[in-house]
């Protein structure tokens, strides 16, 4: 079983969202860990759920979404760390 | 405070008398009683009456997002005797500016978060004179940004105790909503008080809504199903539970934490909950009713939802904004509904009380039962038409041959029901699609892409297709030399995210069909072939 790191998750998130991020004139590499994907308008709430589905599918995970705190769930750093820590 | 019967807010005022101390609104971790919501709204109404100019159309814009200001502002507007024009700061400011300008509203009620966009939105607006931020103590910063506008805050509010709502003409506009328009600009749909009041009463009865109910408010105020959420709840004395933008991301948690008894959302939310495993058996035992509208509801999702909420009634409701929120409905019956469904989605059912439906062919003649045709709707819910657009109004609000009533042409293809069977939804007749429940005219996307690229040959299609519509939009552009990144940035500044094409395909020339029009079918097939 291969380990999933927060960096890998972050890279997948940025890849999945490359278009909306570019549309806002932002550089994916420059985004800080406290960048909030929801409040900055990169994605809406349904878009975030789509992202979670995509991340689960990419890493073959089945993360229990209910355990996530909505406050940090939409923030780049905490999201990536949460997915990595929840992975087996 | 006296109330006048037959206006959209009469039910709220009656509940405010009967259930003064019960919660009317739960939002952001706080509950507001009926007395408190009424007091705030009455104060806003009184302030508008004293401080807003009398000139212009009887409309006030409410630019607030999932905040107490949004709800009290909208109620205050109605108690003032105005119709409300909801605006949403998560949409591109250029689009909001266009809606506000088209409404010609003179006053804007605003909350803190949305106020930060006002500077951009009011630029060049010739009509707005008053900005009211009823929940802001200090509005100096905002006044500084908006020279030439009268900016009022919480300290400037007039007392509301003595406010008496003026008599409302049942034909007066209750709200003006903008939907995607095929010609490239948003279309304003005007809805009169008389269109909505009967529906609210019927719905309270249909779902036996009482003061003990806690109803979800997931829809954006710019989407008309939110009118159902608010006014059905308030008519019955229940509590409207509005998730914040963040809470909306975890709908399962929200249902349990808020003690929701009546859930209403677009099917997309349920579909994603199912994909995320949030529809585990018996997860939501408190739900009495689960309502879905805005796009087709897949039957497998309905089954999953029923397992998660075994005590619930599930309904699929259908209706265009032009016929006031919902006008046809279908109640799930285990064992029977699977057989009655078509193409894997729930039927839309039968006309709600007072609504008349007709399924017609291209000559507006009724088709035989079992045949497909366009759905026409008549009855008290059919709205006056489009704001400032008599031509489009005359095109789609019509009296068919042999009829005396005015019908709205929905543009939706349905199967005319056989006796004893429900009506089923088959798709659109035109180029309107739904992306996650949001109604989008592909013509509007195409017009925007033409403008952003300077290329005339543009076709937008919904792709990838889903059982409910499409996941996004792909734009075909007939030119080899287009700066896609720049075009996307331009579009993102103008269009809501769901309307911005996810992908551009550049072709030297777009294929033409037999009629000489661009061949959409071939373009869609080219996308399907790619996938294989």
């Amino acid at each position: 079983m291969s380990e999933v790191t927060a960096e890998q998750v972050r890279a997948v998130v940025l890849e999945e969202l490359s278009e909306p991020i570019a549309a806002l004139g932002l550089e994916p590499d420059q985004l800080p860990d406290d960048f909030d994907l929801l409040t900055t308008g990169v994605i809406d709430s349904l878009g975030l759920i789509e992202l979670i589905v995509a991340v689960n599918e990419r890493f073959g995970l089945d993360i229990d979404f209910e355990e996530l705190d909505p406050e940090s769930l939409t923030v780049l750093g905490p999201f990536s760390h949460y997915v990595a820590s929840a992975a087996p | 405070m006296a109330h006048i019967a037959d206006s959209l807010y009469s039910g709220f005022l009656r509940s405010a008398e009967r259930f003064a101390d019960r919660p009317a609104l739960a939002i952001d971790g706080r509950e507001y009683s009926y007395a408190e919501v009424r007091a705030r709204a009455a104060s806003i109404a009184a302030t508008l009456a004293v401080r807003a100019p009398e000139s212009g159309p009887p409309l006030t814009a409410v630019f607030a997002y999932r905040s107490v200001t949004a709800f009290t502002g909208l109620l205050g507007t109605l108690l003032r005797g105005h119709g409300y024009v909801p605006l949403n700061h998560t949409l591109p400011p250029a689009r909001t500016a266009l809606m506000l300008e088209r409404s010609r509203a003179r006053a804007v009620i605003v909350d803190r978060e949305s106020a930060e966009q006002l500077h951009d939105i009011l630029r060049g607006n010739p009509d707005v004179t008053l900005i009211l931020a009823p929940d802001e103590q200090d509005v100096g910063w905002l006044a500084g940004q908006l020279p030439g506008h009268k900016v009022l805050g919480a300290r400037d509010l007039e007392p509301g105790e003595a406010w008496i709502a003026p008599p409302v003409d049942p034909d007066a506009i209750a709200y003006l909503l903008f939907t995607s328009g095929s010609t490239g600009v948003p279309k304003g749909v005007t809805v009169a008080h008389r269109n909505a009041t009967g529906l609210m009463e019927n719905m309270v009865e249909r779902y036996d809504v009482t003061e003990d109910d806690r109803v979800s408010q997931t829809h954006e105020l710019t989407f008309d199903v939110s009118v159902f959420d608010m006014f059905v709840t308030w008519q019955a004395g229940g509590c409207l539970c509005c998730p914040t933008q963040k809470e909306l991301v975890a709908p399962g948690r929200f249902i349990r934490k808020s003690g929701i008894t009546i859930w209403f959302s677009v099917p997309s939310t349920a579909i994603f909950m199912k994909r995320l495993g949030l529809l585990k058996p018996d997860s939501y035992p408190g739900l009495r009713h689960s309502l879905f509208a805005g796009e087709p509801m897949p039957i497998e999702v309905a089954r999953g939802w029923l397992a998660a909420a075994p005590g619930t009634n599930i309904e699929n409701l259908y209706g265009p904004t032009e016929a006031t929120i919902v006008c046809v409905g279908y109640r799930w019956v285990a064992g029977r509904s699977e057989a009655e469904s078509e193409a894997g989605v729930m039927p839309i059912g039968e006309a709600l009380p007072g609504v008349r439906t007709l399924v017609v062919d291209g000559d507006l003649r009724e088709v035989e039962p079992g045949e497909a045709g366009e759905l026409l709707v008549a009855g008290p819910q059919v709205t006056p038409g489009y704001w400032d657009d008599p031509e489009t109004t005359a095109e789609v609000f019509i009296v068919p041959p042999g009829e005396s009533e005015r019908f709205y042409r929905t543009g939706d293809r349905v199967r005319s029901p056989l006796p004893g069977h429900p009506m089923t939804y088959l798709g659109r007749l035109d180029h309107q699609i739904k992306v996650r429940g949001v109604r989008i005219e592909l013509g509007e996307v195409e017009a925007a892409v033409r403008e952003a690229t300077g290329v005339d040959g543009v076709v937008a299609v919904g792709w990838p297709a889903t059982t409910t519509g499409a996941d996004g939009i792909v734009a075909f552009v007939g030119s080899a030399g287009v700066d896609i990144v720049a075009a996307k940035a331009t579009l993102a500044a103008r269009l809501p995210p769901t309307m911005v094409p996810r992908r551009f395909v550049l072709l030297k020339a777009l294929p033409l069909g037999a009629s000489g029009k661009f061949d959409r079918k071939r373009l869609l097939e080219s996308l399907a072939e790619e996938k294989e």
Side-chain angles (χ1 to χ4, degrees):
Chain A
M1 196 87 216
S2 62
E3 288 266 298
V4 177
T5 67
E7 288 68 34
Q8 287 172 315
V9 179
R10 183 188 159 101
V12 166
V13 170
L14 295 176
E15 187 192 323
E16 286 284 332
L17 301 176
S18 60
E19 289 192 3
I21 290 170
L24 287 173
L26 300 169
E27 284 287 332
D29 299 343
Q30 309 285 313
L31 297 181
D33 262 5
D34 64 357
F35 184 78
D36 193 323
L37 300 162
L38 190 69
T39 56
T40 51
V42 170
I43 43 176
D44 58 12
S45 53
L46 285 179
L48 187 79
I49 300 176
E50 271 186 331
L51 174 69
I52 291 167
V53 171
V55 166
N56 267 339
E57 284 171 3
R58 280 286 279 274
F59 292 107
L61 301 173
D62 184 20
I63 293 175
D64 195 347
F65 179 65
E66 289 286 84
E67 296 300 314
L68 291 161
D69 170 18
E71 279 304 316
S72 56
L73 172 58
T74 59
V75 183
L76 188 55
F79 177 87
S80 305
H81 283 283
Y82 184 86
V83 173
S85 67
Chain B
M1 231 170 92
H3 66 255
I4 310 299
D6 290 321
S7 68
L8 183 57
Y9 60 76
S10 315
F12 170 82
L13 289 185
R14 278 194 291 272
S15 292
E17 307 261 322
R18 279 186 68 190
F19 308 112
D21 298 325
R22 291 187 66 95
L25 177 66
I27 188 166
D28 211 4
R30 236 206 93 174
E31 289 194 347
Y32 298 83
S33 70
Y34 272 90
E36 187 172 5
V37 171
R38 178 176 61 176
R40 285 170 175 242
S43 177
I44 289 170
T47 310
L48 288 174
V50 174
R51 309 292 293 267
E54 279 284 354
S55 62
L59 296 170
T60 293
V62 179
F63 189 30
Y65 189 76
R66 300 190 176 276
S67 61
V68 67
T69 316
F71 298 99
T72 54
L74 166 167
L75 273 167
T77 298
L78 290 170
L79 292 180
R80 158 72 182 96
H82 276 192
Y84 71 89
V85 185
L87 303 173
N88 182 327
H89 81 78
T90 68
L91 297 179
R95 193 173 181 84
T96 302
L98 192 62
M99 291 174 181
L100 182 59
E101 203 175 307
R102 294 210 58 185
S103 77
R104 305 194 311 277
R106 299 292 196 265
V108 180
I109 296 168
V110 72
D111 65 6
R112 167 88 208 194
E113 230 184 325
S114 306
E116 287 169 17
Q117 272 188 9
L118 268 182
H119 177 67
D120 287 339
I121 282 155
L122 291 175
R123 199 179 301 157
N125 183 306
D127 299 313
V128 173
T129 52
L130 175 69
I131 306 297
L132 175 57
D135 296 301
E136 289 306 302
Q137 293 299 322
D138 172 23
V139 289
W141 66 275
L142 187 56
Q145 284 183 4
L146 305 170
H149 293 88
K150 185 158 57 179
V151 180
L152 304 179
R155 292 180 195 148
D156 308 304
L157 287 172
E158 299 286 330
E161 293 82 13
W163 176 253
I164 294 171
V168 168
D169 178 349
D171 288 317
I173 299 174
Y175 55 92
L176 167 62
L177 295 189
F178 286 90
T179 66
S180 176
S182 57
T183 55
V185 283
K187 245 179 347 193
V189 181
T190 58
V191 181
H193 286 270
R194 78 155 78 241
N195 298 138
T197 47
L199 175 66
M200 298 305 143
E201 271 171 36
N202 292 337
M203 293 298 101
V204 168
E205 198 182 308
R206 182 180 176 99
Y207 302 114
D208 189 24
V209 188
T210 73
E211 70 272 22
D212 293 323
D213 276 306
R214 295 176 68 85
V215 185
S216 69
Q217 208 277 293
T218 66
H219 308 97
E220 303 296 350
L221 298 182
T222 41
F223 180 25
D224 72 338
V225 186
S226 64
V227 178
F228 179 116
D229 300 334
M230 293 184 279
F231 291 96
V232 168
T233 307
W234 289 335
Q235 174 131 353
C239 182
L240 184 73
C241 302
C242 179
T244 59
Q245 195 180 15
K246 294 248 175 181
E247 285 172 329
L248 205 49
V249 168
R253 183 191 285 233
F254 170 72
I255 291 173
R256 281 194 296 266
K257 211 176 123 193
S258 303
I260 300 295
T261 59
I262 301 179
W263 171 262
F264 201 164
S265 77
V266 290
S268 282
T269 306
I271 293 167
F272 285 117
M273 285 171 75
K274 184 166 188 289
R275 284 183 72 185
L276 284 167
L278 297 187
L279 298 184
K280 296 190 187 82
D282 224 1
S283 296
Y284 315 111
L287 287 179
R288 295 202 303 122
H289 294 285
S290 303
L291 313 178
F292 299 95
E295 59 187 342
M297 177 69 177
I299 53 170
E300 48 157 332
V301 177
R303 273 200 220 107
W305 190 277
L306 203 55
T312 195
N313 158 48
I314 295 188
E315 293 197 16
N316 181 34
L317 298 167
Y318 161 92
T321 306
E322 289 88 339
T324 315
I325 315 171
V326 291
C327 54
V328 176
Y330 180 81
R331 187 164 283 193
W332 180 270
V333 180
R336 195 175 82 196
S337 292
E338 281 89 345
E340 288 182 342
S341 297
E342 191 163 343
V345 298
M346 272 174 83
I348 56 174
E350 53 192 47
L352 298 177
V355 174
R356 238 191 99 201
T357 58
L358 210 55
V359 184
V360 299
D361 62 17
D363 297 322
L364 299 175
R365 307 278 175 187
E366 197 166 6
V367 301
E368 294 296 319
E371 286 180 13
E374 181 179 6
L375 176 63
L376 308 189
V377 178
Q381 288 174 227
V382 175
T383 60
Y386 301 109
W387 179 242
D388 267 352
D389 192 352
E391 276 173 33
T392 314
T393 301
E395 274 167 30
V396 294
F397 292 88
I398 49 132
V399 180
E403 294 288 338
S404 55
E405 262 184 296
R406 186 167 165 272
F407 281 77
Y408 170 65
R409 295 186 71 158
T410 64
D412 285 318
R413 274 185 84 232
V414 301
R415 188 174 304 290
S416 178
L418 292 162
H421 288 265
M423 191 156 39
T424 50
Y425 178 84
L426 301 173
R428 287 293 298 175
L429 284 160
D430 55 14
H431 300 311
Q432 187 188 103
I433 61 163
K434 293 269 184 156
V435 175
R436 296 185 200 143
V438 179
R439 167 174 153 179
I440 292 169
E441 293 282 358
L442 289 170
E444 182 173 3
V445 177
E446 288 164 359
V449 173
R450 276 196 294 270
E451 208 180 305
T453 58
V455 178
D456 286 335
V458 173
V459 170
V461 298
W463 188 264
T466 62
T467 44
T468 63
D471 252 356
I473 293 171
V474 173
F476 291 89
V477 180
S479 165
V482 167
D483 182 346
I484 295 176
V485 175
K488 274 193 183 171
T490 308
L491 292 167
R494 261 190 67 176
L495 301 175
T498 41
M499 286 178 73
V500 178
R502 289 186 175 184
R503 218 183 116 196
F504 282 74
V505 181
L506 301 184
L507 299 170
K508 271 189 194 147
L510 300 183
L512 297 178
S515 65
K517 290 182 180 172
F518 294 128
D519 193 342
R520 289 174 174 275
K521 211 171 142 230
R522 231 170 98 195
L523 291 170
L524 274 168
E525 282 164 5
S526 72
L527 290 171
E529 282 159 14
E530 261 177 22
K531 264 223 147 146
E532 282 162 11

